[in-house]
Amino acid sequence: MTAKLLISRRLISSSNVNSDSNTTFDVSSLLNQINFIRNRQHQKKSSSSHQLPSSIIATGSKKISKFKRSTHPTSVPLVKLLFTAGFFPLSIKESLDDYAFRKQPLKFQQELLNLLPFYPNPDTNGKTSSIVQTVIDDKGNFINEFVVYPPGKSEADSHTMNHIVLVHGYGGGLGFFLKNFDGLSNLDNWCVHGIDLLGYGCSSRPPFKLKEESLDHVEDFFHESFEIWLNKRGLSNLAPNAKLLVVGHSMGAYLMATYGIRNNPNFCDRLLMLSPGAIIKHRKPVSVPKYFEKLWEQNISPFTLVRQLGPFGSKIVSGWSSRRFANLSPEENKCLHRYAYGIFSSPGSGEYMLNYLLAPGANARHPLIERGIHKLKCKVSWWYGSEDWMDIKGGQLCSEIINNYAKDSEKSRVFEFEDSGHHLYLENTDKFHTKMLEEMKSMESEVKEDKHI
């Protein structure tokens, strides 16, 4: 059975967004199914139904939030999705409006960052920010970055300041840290950087061509560009007392850890692994349908659907964004949706790494626990949500290895955040910021290790 026919029967639902493909989709057939099922739904609507806020649905006398936490990558029958009222809530007109700017993701990024009180102009306290695009090769490819300076500080003070680098997960971008830029830039001497890895977000998206089809070459695509960015931004040669805190989410955490293991074990003073991916293999078998396995191995995913559906791509994305961002304000929800559509529909590049690192069902092909995690010289923290689909056992086992090797029970620690899932930085921002500020303050009092050891 062809991938085209399989896709027409089911969609792939994933907490992360997978890579693109050359597979074509029968768009008219898919839309006909959508219209047919919606017409049936409309005919069956109860006359007693009433309007509720967009983030709430009614079940009997009980009101339940439509906000849904990310779940383990799996497949969901198309009919089940389409029979759910309002699963793709964006209107056709809004989807067409978004489509007109599909080749301008920076527009959606600008719109999103405009929600912050200190962008593009300083806030009343003097906090400033800017977008920086650092060229990383002779072809003009660049790393896109959003940087926030505390009141009274600027680029000129960068060498002596402390720095936080926020690295997104698979399919994401710096905009997903919207709720964190303000809360993490409130200490006097801390500068916050949100970056888009090469091939993601609004960074350049060069063809994902490897010299060899090997794990090293896949990781080099990200590690080499990240290292150039670190050097050009002066973060690899800070003043003796200045600290660097790197925060990686999901697959971004995996890439930051492997960068340290393979390239420079001293590249930062502390590494925070937020709901990290590919740490250990699944402890319990995950049922993966044969067709789903085949599509995964071919890198066919929701990205493909978004791109192939043309003017209806934003509408399809709204089925994900309307639930993931339902706990945010309507304006934040709207802007994050448009931003997500903008980067999801951009040309495929870095996303092609997925099948090299994860097997179907998101099982680790090369678990981090087997990569020499003890080689990292920095302190490491592993943060998970209480409702995370990532396995906290991975962080616990890695911590035991690190601490036993270093003979230091405090070098690596594991924390679990209540009322949080895979995107704990977005789902429980207050608790996340409180814990982050504790980490930052504790780093200020630490003696800087000699990076030449």
Side-chain angles (χ1 to χ4, degrees):
M1 187 175 291
T2 65
K4 176 178 174 181
L5 180 57
L6 287 168
I7 288 289
S8 72
R9 293 177 59 188
R10 294 195 178 198
L11 292 175
I12 298 174
S13 172
S14 172
S15 59
N16 293 322
V17 184
N18 303 331
S19 55
D20 193 12
S21 165
N22 291 324
T23 303
T24 58
F25 290 88
D26 188 346
V27 178
S28 60
S29 175
L30 180 61
L31 294 177
N32 285 338
Q33 291 184 58
I34 293 174
N35 290 331
F36 172 74
I37 293 175
R38 281 185 174 166
N39 287 336
R40 289 185 61 183
Q41 283 182 300
H42 182 72
Q43 293 169 5
K44 294 181 178 180
K45 276 186 178 180
S46 169
S47 59
S48 61
S49 63
H50 57 280
Q51 275 196 327
L52 290 170
S54 59
S55 62
I56 300 293
I57 58 175
T59 304
S61 60
K62 192 176 180 182
K63 291 182 180 179
I64 302 176
S65 172
K66 285 177 67 176
F67 170 65
K68 300 292 184 183
R69 302 200 190 284
S70 292
T71 55
H72 194 286
T74 185
S75 60
V76 181
L78 178 62
V79 172
K80 182 176 180 180
L81 295 182
L82 297 181
F83 266 105
T84 303
F87 196 88
F88 304 111
L90 197 72
S91 71
I92 295 296
K93 182 183 182 305
E94 290 171 313
S95 188
L96 290 171
D97 289 343
D98 293 346
Y99 180 71
F101 297 101
R102 67 194 181 282
K103 295 183 179 180
Q104 301 178 46
L106 284 171
K107 174 189 184 309
F108 294 132
Q109 176 182 267
Q110 183 87 4
E111 177 185 75
L112 181 68
L113 296 178
N114 279 341
L115 298 178
L116 296 171
F118 43 81
Y119 181 81
N121 301 312
D123 65 10
T124 55
N125 295 318
K127 187 183 296 187
T128 60
S129 63
S130 63
I131 294 172
V132 179
Q133 294 183 339
T134 303
V135 177
I136 49 93
D137 61 23
D138 57 5
K139 297 178 181 179
N141 290 313
F142 60 87
I143 294 292
N144 183 62
E145 168 194 354
F146 180 63
V147 58
V148 185
Y149 295 100
K153 302 290 184 178
S154 67
E155 179 69 23
D157 305 295
S158 183
H159 183 61
T160 58
M161 293 179 63
N162 301 316
H163 297 263
I164 300 175
V165 177
L166 301 173
V167 183
H168 60 83
Y170 182 80
L174 65 84
F176 287 172
F177 294 107
L178 173 71
K179 300 290 288 183
N180 311 120
F181 290 121
D182 195 5
L184 300 182
S185 56
N186 287 329
L187 294 186
D188 291 341
N189 201 40
W190 284 85
C191 176
V192 181
H193 309 257
I195 67 168
D196 290 331
L197 294 170
L198 183 65
Y200 283 111
C202 293
S203 285
S204 295
R205 292 182 172 236
F208 191 70
K209 294 181 179 179
L210 306 176
K211 298 176 184 177
E212 297 178 16
E213 296 229 348
S214 68
L215 176 63
D216 286 350
H217 286 282
V218 170
E219 292 179 346
D220 286 346
F221 180 88
F222 303 100
H223 291 167
E224 291 175 358
S225 54
F226 176 73
E227 185 169 72
I228 293 171
W229 176 81
L230 274 179
N231 292 335
K232 285 199 168 187
R233 296 293 282 141
L235 300 182
S236 58
N237 188 32
L238 295 172
N241 293 324
K243 307 294 173 62
L244 176 60
L245 169 60
V246 174
V247 182
H249 174 247
S250 195
M251 197 55 68
Y254 181 92
L255 289 173
M256 292 299 98
T258 53
Y259 171 79
I261 293 169
R262 295 183 60 217
N263 296 59
N264 181 6
N266 285 304
F267 82 103
C268 66
D269 298 286
R270 191 167 299 189
L271 176 61
L272 297 190
M273 306 281 282
L274 304 183
S275 188
I279 306 304
I280 57 175
K281 288 186 177 292
H282 293 329
R283 291 187 291 157
K284 297 180 180 179
V286 176
S287 178
V288 181
K290 289 296 182 182
Y291 84 89
F292 185 81
E293 180 178 345
K294 183 177 181 180
L295 295 179
W296 183 288
E297 296 287 6
Q298 294 178 353
N299 273 339
I300 298 173
S301 71
F303 270 172
T304 306
L305 185 62
V306 171
R307 292 167 182 146
Q308 295 294 332
L309 279 177
F312 303 100
S314 185
K315 186 171 183 63
I316 293 297
V317 172
S318 73
W320 174 83
S321 63
S322 63
R323 286 153 181 79
R324 291 294 178 265
F325 307 141
N327 60 330
L328 306 180
S329 72
E331 190 173 21
E332 291 169 337
N333 189 317
K334 177 182 177 181
C335 289
L336 265 172
H337 161 76
R338 285 163 61 87
Y339 170 79
Y341 166 68
I343 62 175
F344 290 178
S345 60
S346 294
S349 177
E351 65 207 53
Y352 291 116
M353 53 88 85
L354 182 67
N355 194 41
Y356 292 93
L357 299 184
L358 296 178
N363 201 12
R365 293 193 190 276
H366 311 280
L368 186 65
I369 197 170
E370 300 173 4
R371 301 289 304 278
I373 191 67
H374 63 281
K375 295 178 182 178
L376 293 174
K377 300 300 182 184
C378 62
K379 286 189 174 182
V380 187
S381 287
W382 310 76
W383 292 6
Y384 295 82
S386 58
E387 300 172 57
D388 211 321
W389 68 269
M390 293 297 184
D391 190 350
I392 194 173
K393 188 66 175 179
Q396 293 169 341
L397 291 173
C398 284
S399 275
E400 289 180 15
I401 292 172
I402 293 170
N403 291 340
N404 288 337
Y405 190 89
K407 295 180 172 55
D408 179 0
S409 62
E410 294 297 313
K411 184 174 182 180
S412 181
R413 297 176 295 169
V414 181
F415 297 93
E416 187 174 76
F417 288 73
E418 295 180 357
D419 193 28
S420 304
H422 185 55
H423 299 275
L424 57 95
Y425 60 93
L426 187 62
E427 297 171 356
N428 194 344
T429 55
D430 289 342
K431 182 66 179 294
F432 176 75
H433 291 160
T434 297
K435 187 63 180 173
M436 279 290 295
L437 292 175
E438 288 177 6
E439 292 279 332
M440 294 156 68
K441 289 177 180 177
S442 71
M443 289 180 67
E444 291 176 339
S445 61
E446 293 176 349
V447 177
K448 186 98 169 176
E449 291 188 15
D450 186 349
K451 291 194 174 184
H452 299 289
I453 294 177

